[in-house]
Each structure stands twice: as C-alpha cells, then as structure tokens.
Amino acid sequence: MDRSRDAVARRYGEHLTDRDLLALTGDHPDQVDALRRRPELVLDLLDRPTVADAVLTAVHDEGERFRYVSPFLVFAAAVHRAAGSLVGQAAVVDRTAPRSRLPILDGPVIAAFAADPAHRLFLAELLASYARLASGVVWRRGERGWQRRRWDELDLPRLAELLADVPAQDRPGVWRRIGDGALFLAGVYPEYAERTYGGAGSTRLSRATGLHLRGEGPVGELLEDLAGRAYRQTRGAVPPGVVDSPRSARRLLTIVADRYLHRDAVVGPS
C-alpha cells in the first residue's frame, strides 16, 4: 500500500471505536484486533457496498445491535457508498440552485475526485465534525468598551471575526473552519445558505473575511470560492485536491447529502 493510503488508513483507525469495528466485521469480535493492526482493511471493507449499506441501515434501526456506531463511521460509510456509485457514470445530478437539480456531464471528474482516499477521509471528517455544533463567547474591545460577542461554527462572518482575536499561529485553524463551514452549507444545506448569505449576506461575509467575494450569482458558487481561498490559508492542512477544486468537494457532498443525510436529518444547522 502506498504511503498516502497508509496515512489515511491510520487516521480511520484513530477515529473508529471498537463498536465501529465490530459493526464492520458483521459481529465477529475475533476480527476486531486484526482491523486494529491493519487499518487499511477498513478502507477495503467500506468500499464494499454491502458493508457500507449495513452501517447506514443499522444506525437508523431501533432494534439493530450496531445502532451505537460513531458519527464518523456513519459519514464514512455514506461517502464511500456515494463514491463507489460514481464509477462509470457519465453524468451526475447536481444542484443548479437551492431547489433545482439537473444532470451535469461531470461524472468522471467527480468519480476521480472521490476515488482519492484522502478526499474521502476529508469529507467524512468534515461531516462528523458538524454532528455537534461548537459555539462560544468572546470579548472584544470597541469604542464603547468591552463587548460580549457570541459565535457559532455556521455563522461564518462571526467566525471570521475571531481571526482578529486569536494569535497568528491559531489563524490557520480558524480559516480551516471557515472553509469547512462554507463547504458544508453549500453542499448539505443550500437553502439555509441562500437565506443566510444571499443578497446583503454576501457583503457581510466579504467584509468579515477581508476577501473580495463575488456578490452576484448563486450563493453556492460564492461559498465554493470562499472555501478554496480559506483553505489556502491553512498551511497544508487540507488535501491539495480539495483546495484546488472545492466545487468537486461540494458536488460530492451534495450527492452524499441527497442520498443518505436529508432523509433522516442526521445533521443540520439549528
């Protein structure tokens, strides 16, 4: 196995619990240790449609013994299942607007993007990171003294304001979260993104980030642009293919969301 795939496999191993591994083996405890020793086998298992489907079905079944698997395994199964379904497809259905879907002749491009193990890991981690939204409070000194400001991870302008409040060494992490939020909203909740960042919302977003973002056109394209530019500030923390092609990442997220997430409201903005 090449080094990049080996590194990805180790990351999967770090995320997965023993219960996750038990689910992947089909309830064979004697195989869990083997998966711990050779995490590359996890990638092979998730690439099997029957295994990925079993995880996705089990997590929603009240009587199923594997219903307590981790969010990461659920999202990894969804990403792998979607990626496998793209092989040999000339066209994919994409959102051309929040409530409009049309086939686009970009199937081979999205399939190639999805075939990269680092891209699948990236999207599974991104989705799992929003299983519970983080929020908090910062105090900022203004003309009227100290002001208490709340923030949450999907309020991208407020999140961008943190860039002025954190040390320089911490800013790549904030940029990473801005990019993640932009991709997540564009790919998973475009209607929410349209309501929040359409019209005057795009101006607020540009002002907060200090980036000259497009003010016209679909909000999804604005958020793709923001994601790519934010990821360039993360000092190599994001796979180059995602940095260079946030649209491919967004399109794969859209496929995952449409097929596996929205039907059960696994994640969502409050």
Side-chain angles (χ1 to χ4, degrees):
M1 185 171 64
D2 63 63
R3 285 189 193 177
S4 60
R5 194 168 189 269
D6 186 51
V8 167
R10 288 197 300 271
R11 288 279 291 278
Y12 274 71
E14 292 168 4
H15 284 294
L16 296 175
T17 67
D18 285 346
R19 193 183 295 271
D20 291 337
L21 299 179
L22 186 63
L24 287 171
T25 65
D27 199 20
H28 290 87
D30 56 306
Q31 297 178 13
V32 170
D33 286 343
L35 292 183
R36 283 286 180 215
R37 292 192 304 271
R38 297 184 58 194
E40 69 272 14
L41 297 177
V42 170
L43 303 186
D44 296 334
L45 285 170
L46 284 171
D47 283 338
R48 299 178 184 178
T50 54
V51 174
D53 285 344
V55 171
L56 293 167
T57 302
V59 75
H60 304 298
D61 186 340
E62 287 296 324
E64 176 60 52
R65 61 188 180 278
F66 298 143
R67 58 190 288 258
Y68 295 111
V69 297
S70 70
F72 175 81
L73 178 58
V74 176
F75 294 124
V79 171
H80 277 252
R81 190 69 177 90
S85 72
L86 295 173
V87 176
Q89 297 296 312
V92 295
V93 175
D94 190 30
R95 294 191 187 105
T96 55
R99 294 174 180 82
S100 177
R101 288 167 174 76
L102 290 173
I104 59 169
L105 298 176
D106 222 6
V109 174
I110 307 304
F113 178 89
D116 189 319
H119 296 164
R120 294 198 297 266
L121 170 66
F122 172 84
L123 293 180
E125 288 181 329
L126 186 153
L127 288 167
S129 74
Y130 287 108
R132 291 184 178 85
L133 293 179
S135 61
V137 173
V138 296
W139 289 88
R140 303 190 71 189
R141 184 189 290 274
E143 295 179 356
R144 300 181 181 180
W146 289 97
Q147 295 179 321
R148 184 174 181 269
R149 304 291 297 276
R150 290 199 60 83
W151 62 272
D152 71 64
E153 290 187 296
L154 292 181
D155 185 342
L156 301 183
R158 190 61 60 85
L159 187 59
E161 291 175 1
L162 296 179
L163 291 166
D165 299 319
V166 300
Q169 65 268 23
D170 294 335
R171 289 172 194 158
V174 178
W175 279 116
R176 166 69 186 267
R177 212 57 185 145
I178 293 170
D180 288 348
L183 265 190
F184 178 78
L185 290 175
V188 181
Y189 288 100
E191 289 82 7
Y192 175 86
E194 185 73 31
R195 293 195 307 270
T196 307
Y197 299 115
S202 64
T203 302
R204 178 174 173 240
L205 193 54
S206 294
R207 184 168 56 246
T209 60
L211 301 173
H212 183 64
L213 302 170
R214 63 181 74 195
E216 299 179 354
V219 169
E221 293 183 5
L222 176 145
L223 293 175
E224 290 171 4
D225 181 36
L226 172 58
R229 296 170 72 177
Y231 287 149
R232 288 187 178 89
Q233 310 298 319
T234 63
R235 299 176 184 174
V238 175
V242 177
V243 178
D244 295 338
S245 186
R247 175 162 296 181
S248 292
R250 195 275 304 160
R251 282 177 169 164
L252 183 53
L253 272 178
T254 294
I255 293 169
V256 171
D258 284 351
R259 295 183 184 177
Y260 303 109
L261 305 188
H262 289 314
R263 63 182 184 182
D264 295 297
V266 176
V267 290
S270 58

